[in-house]
Every structure is written in structure tokens, then in C-alpha cells.
């Protein structure tokens, strides 16, 4: 028999995180451009993001054609649009003066795949880019990253929202995130789990 999944959070019943999910409503519109390879990734955090921020929009694709409808939507939205991506020309979100009622675009994929998506979508490079002044360590212990400053999409979204709206309480986002991470760690064989815990 296959696994039984929770109808609410869509995680396996044995790893249900519904008790840790408190949906939030925010003024900032969050849109995730998700690389196709991330859709079924077991450790991807976009599913969590959609549980904590139900208004989140997810557009799966890689090329400009994949995001053609999104481009039309953004032009007609009547709100400032920002790309969340660190670069030589990006501005600190906290210093940008970005209004709460704006749209932020996040690319969900590895650094290599995100970079490729940017090259295939020059329209993204025309948008003002924001980055997060983050000096800590990602709590995303269950997925390895080549860069020490790598954040999961949920973490990046939470810190970006807080940078734009300093009084925002992002604790509900991390409550669900921490519950998911802990379930994943608990499911690992002891020897494997020890490696992840030591690398924290």
C-alpha cells in the first residue's frame, strides 16, 4: 500500500504539520517562479510557503514563453514589482523604500538553475532587484547548498516581507518550516541525521 497523505497539508500522515500551520494575510503579493525540477522535490519549501501564505502565486516554468501570462498580469497589476535576487545592482530591501502593497518575485531553484532562468528571461533583469541583509545561517539543515548564505524560498520570503514591513510577525512561517525540517530529520537513519545536525 502507498503512503497516506494529509488532505490539508499534503504531507504524509506520519509527517503532518497542520498543527504548526497558522495561515497569514499580508499586503505584499508573493509570486514564485518555480523551476520545473523543484515541483516534486521532497524538500522544497514552496508547498510550505503556500500553506502559511495562501495567497502566494506559483508559476512553474523556465523560459519566457512559460511566463508570458505572468508578464501580462504584472503589467496590468498597477503595483511596483521587485525581483528578489542578490546582484551587483540589487538594493537592500530594508533601505529600498518598497511599499507594502507591492509584488515580489522569487525564483525557486538551485543557484545554477535560477541563473539560467534569468538568462532566459531578460525581462526579469529589467525589474528593480532587492536583496536581504542576512548574516545568520539558514535553518534549512536538510538540504545542502554550495553557498553558506543560501536560504530556502520560504526563508527568503519571510525575511523579505519583514524587511519591507518591519513590524510584521513572521514567526508563523518559521513554525511550519521548523516542524517540516524536524519531521524530515526524525525520519532519517541515525547516522545520516547526525551528519546534518553536526553541520548546523
Amino acid at each position: 500500500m502507498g503512503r497516506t497523505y494529509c488532505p490539508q497539508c499534503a504531507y504524509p500522515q506520519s509527517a503532518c504539520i497542520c498543527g504548526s500551520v497558522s495561515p497569514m494575510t499580508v499586503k505584499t503579493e508573493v509570486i514564485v517562479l518555480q523551476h520545473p525540477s523543484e515541483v516534486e522535490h521532497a524538500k522544497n519549501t514552496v508547498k510550505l510557503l503556500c500553506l502559511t501564505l495562501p495567497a502566494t502565486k506559483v508559476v512553474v516554468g523556465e523560459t519566457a514563453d512559460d511566463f508570458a501570462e505572468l508578464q501580462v498580469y504584472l503589467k496590468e497589476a498597477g503595483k511596483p514589482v521587485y525581483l528578489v535576487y542578490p546582484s551587483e545592482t540589487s538594493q537592500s530591501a530594508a533601505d529600498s523604500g518598497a511599499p507594502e502593497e507591492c509584488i515580489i518575485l522569487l525564483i525557486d531553484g538551485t543557484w545554477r538553475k535560477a541563473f539560467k532562468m534569468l538568462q532566459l528571461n531578460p525581462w526579469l533583469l529589467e525589474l528593480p532587484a532587492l536583496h536581504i541583509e542576512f548574516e545568520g545561517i539558514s535553518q534549512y539543515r536538510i538540504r545542502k547548498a554550495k553557498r553558506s548564505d543560501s536560504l530556502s524560498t520560504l526563508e527568503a520570503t519571510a525575511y523579505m516581507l519583514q524587511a519591507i514591513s518591519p513590524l510584521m510577525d513572521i514567526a508563523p512561517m518559521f513554525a511550519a518550516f521548523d516542524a517540516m525540517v524536524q519531521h524530515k530529520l526524525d525520519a532519517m537513519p541515525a547516522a545520516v541525521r547526525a551528519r546534518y545536525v553536526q553541520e548546523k
Side-chain angles (χ1 to χ4, degrees):
M1 294 180 63
R3 280 184 172 184
T4 302
Y5 289 82
C6 172
Q8 278 74 46
C9 69
Y11 282 92
Q13 287 284 8
S14 60
C16 173
I17 59 167
C18 286
S20 301
V21 175
S22 299
M24 298 170 56
T25 300
V26 299
K27 293 181 179 179
T28 302
E29 188 172 347
V30 178
I31 301 179
V32 178
L33 282 63
Q34 186 174 46
H35 190 277
S37 66
E38 293 292 323
V39 176
E40 299 299 330
H41 201 297
K43 298 176 183 178
N44 188 277
T45 62
V46 170
K47 180 166 65 174
L48 267 183
L49 180 59
C50 293
L51 289 172
T52 54
L53 293 178
T56 299
K57 293 183 176 67
V58 181
V59 184
V60 178
E62 186 175 21
T63 68
D65 286 343
D66 296 329
F67 302 116
E69 289 186 14
L70 173 61
Q71 292 183 64
V72 173
Y73 173 79
L74 295 175
K75 289 178 181 177
E76 297 177 348
K79 300 178 185 178
V81 181
Y82 300 92
L83 174 67
V84 179
Y85 193 84
S87 68
E88 294 181 356
T89 58
S90 63
Q91 186 176 10
S92 167
D95 300 330
S96 66
E100 284 186 285
E101 294 190 8
C102 69
I103 299 174
I104 57 173
L105 304 181
L106 296 101
I107 300 177
D108 183 55
T110 62
W111 280 108
R112 181 176 62 82
K113 290 172 182 173
F115 181 76
K116 182 180 179 182
M117 287 172 68
L118 282 178
Q119 305 312 304
L120 294 173
N121 292 272
W123 63 275
L124 287 174
L125 299 174
E126 297 174 0
L127 299 173
L130 301 178
H131 64 259
I132 309 156
E133 298 288 353
F134 181 76
E135 298 180 354
I137 299 174
S138 169
Q139 297 304 304
Y140 201 24
R141 294 174 285 160
I142 57 172
R143 192 169 181 182
K144 298 181 184 300
K146 292 182 179 180
R147 291 176 50 154
S148 60
D149 61 347
S150 293
L151 293 173
S152 68
T153 299
L154 182 144
E155 289 175 300
T157 302
Y159 291 130
M160 180 59 61
L161 290 174
Q162 191 173 64
I164 294 173
S165 309
L167 298 180
M168 181 181 296
D169 180 13
I170 57 175
M173 299 180 72
F174 282 98
F177 178 75
D178 292 342
M180 184 273 285
V181 169
Q182 192 58 53
H183 275 303
K184 295 291 186 184
L185 286 172
D186 291 344
M188 293 178 181
V192 176
R193 180 169 60 248
R195 292 204 302 268
Y196 281 93
V197 174
Q198 290 170 1
E199 292 171 3
K200 181 179 177 182

